[in-house]
């Protein structure tokens, strides 16, 4: 890990000479399958915003998708790229798998892109979804090369939190409230706060998916404010006002819809620290909501759901480990059928959205756990355990 970090640091302090292809670069479209010069079997997709000027070093976002879908993974970022003039790059090679292999692939991608195009290395950002978010978070915390991390649907690998944090980057977490990693992202924000890393968390009514373009733009709105605070970009009062107005409008709507905790979070994102009167207005609104009975009741329900979810995950995980020890392929799966039925009933309960989302998270988590455990046992030729997982996986997917 130390060698990796040293390589990254060396990479980004080097002065690059860029040699673009003689062909005219297309702007406003995703260009797929650009080859890595040193490793032609590896490629990436790239997007140049319509305002791109090849003579001017430009901000850039590296993107990691867990299934190496460069073109698909770039699409959520296009609105933000056009708004703030970012180049977007996503690997078509890097996917969920060996961390060491992925670090090598990512380093070759960094090297190739930064030597090929005129990039402003003071405005480098990195993002990823699911397993890609974990790799992006690793680079953010270990390298000191990136101004911001946008982690979607997952946070750090556990060991990454043992690395002394590089505190000069800003961290955006993005997750759906029915994403299996929702509670992980909530806990991750607490850790970031304690590590004194500037961060925020956006929660959408989504499952385990890349955020939509308008949600990603809100993430980059927040990062734009951090760039002003760091003097990375010149402060733009028009943009500040737009970000303020947007967050107040969203917060007002959430409040009217009785989503009090989400309303507070949206108001907080409207505090730019550049307009004392407007910021104080928002702080007053937040204080009023936090005193309300509705806010306190919603917060209590969320805390109760978190406890219930953790207990349920522990229960299912323990039983699954026990069943794998015997791994009888002719099992009736009576216990699991009953648990899955109860969760599906809860998942359809529109009158209790917090429990409904919890059930979706637990079902998806368990489906992934069973599938990945089955694949691991198949690779290790533990055929009885692999067969057991396959049968249980069919029960889960058929029930959903």
């Amino acid at each position: 890990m130390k060698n990796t970090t040293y390589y990254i640091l060396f990479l980004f302090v080097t002065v690059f000479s860029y040699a673009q292809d003689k062909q005219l670069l297309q702007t406003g479209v995703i260009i797929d399958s650009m080859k890595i010069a040193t490793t032609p079997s590896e490629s990436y997709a790239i997007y140049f915003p319509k305002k791109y000027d090849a003579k001017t070093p430009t901000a850039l976002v590296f993107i990691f998708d867990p299934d190496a879908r460069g073109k698909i993974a770039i699409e959520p970022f296009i609105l933000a790229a056009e708004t703030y003039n970012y180049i977007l790059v996503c690997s078509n090679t890097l996917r969920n798998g060996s961390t060491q292999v992925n670090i090598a692939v990512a380093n070759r991608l960094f090297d190739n892109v930064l030597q090929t195009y005129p990039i402003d290395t003071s405005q480098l950002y990195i993002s990823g979804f699911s397993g890609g978010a974990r790799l992006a978070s690793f680079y953010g915390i270990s390298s000191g090369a990136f101004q911001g991390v946008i982690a979607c649907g997952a946070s750090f690998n556990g060991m990454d939190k043992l690395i002394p944090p590089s505190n000069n980057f800003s961290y955006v977490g993005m997750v759906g409230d029915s994403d299996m990693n929702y509670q992980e992202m909530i806990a991750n924000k607490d850790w970031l706060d304690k590590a004194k890393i500037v961060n925020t968390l956006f929660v959408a009514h989504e499952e385990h998916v890349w955020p939509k373009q308008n949600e990603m733009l809100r993430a980059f709105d927040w990062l734009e404010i951090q760039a002003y605070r760091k003097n990375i970009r010149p402060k733009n009062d028009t943009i500040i006002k737009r970000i303020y107005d947007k967050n107040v409008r969203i917060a007002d709507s959430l409040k009217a819809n009785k989503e009090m905790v989400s309303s507070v979070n949206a108001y907080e994102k409207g505090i730019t620290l550049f307009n004392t009167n407007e910021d104080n207005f928002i702080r007053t609104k937040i204080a009023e909501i936090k005193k309300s009975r509705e806010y306190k009741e919603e917060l209590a329900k969320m805390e109760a759901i978190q406890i219930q979810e953790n207990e349920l995950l522990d229960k299912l995980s323990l039983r699954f480990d026990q069943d794998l020890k015997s791994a009888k392929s002719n099992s009736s799966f009576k216990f699991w059928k009953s648990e899955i039925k109860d969760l599906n009933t809860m998942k359809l309960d529109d009158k209790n959205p917090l429990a409904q989302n919890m059930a979706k998270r637990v079902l998806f988590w368990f489906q992934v756990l069973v599938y990945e455990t089955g694949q691991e046992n198949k690779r290790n030729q533990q055929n009885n355990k692999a067969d057991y997982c396959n049968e249980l996986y069919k029960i889960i997917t058929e029930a959903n």
Side-chain angles (χ1 to χ4, degrees), residues 15-45:
V15 176
F16 294 105
S17 62
Y18 45 86
Q20 296 185 38
D21 293 335
K22 291 182 180 179
Q23 63 182 20
L24 183 64
L25 293 172
Q26 290 180 286
T27 63
V29 295
I30 300 173
I31 304 169
D32 206 357
S33 300
M34 302 289 286
K35 302 294 184 184
I36 301 293
T38 57
T39 316
S41 61
E42 298 175 6
S43 70
Y44 59 91

Side-chain angles (χ1 to χ4, degrees), residues 58-104:
T58 306
L60 180 141
V61 185
F62 285 107
I63 304 164
F64 299 147
D65 182 80
D67 293 317
R69 304 168 301 174
K71 189 172 184 178
I72 289 174
I74 277 178
E75 288 176 355
F77 294 82
I78 289 177
L79 180 58
E82 291 295 346
T83 302
Y84 294 118
N85 202 40
Y86 283 90
I87 297 172
L88 308 173
V89 169
C90 184
S91 173
N92 287 320
T93 307
L94 191 150
R95 65 179 66 242
N96 278 357
S98 165
T99 300
Q100 290 306 312
V101 169
N102 281 336
I103 286 173

Side-chain angles (χ1 to χ4, degrees), residues 225-226 228-229 235 237 240 271-276 279:
I225 297 299
Q226 310 317 308
Y228 297 162
R229 296 176 65 186
K235 185 166 70 75
D237 291 332
I240 291 170
I271 298 175
T272 63
L273 302 180
F274 291 111
N275 190 314
T276 303
D279 287 349

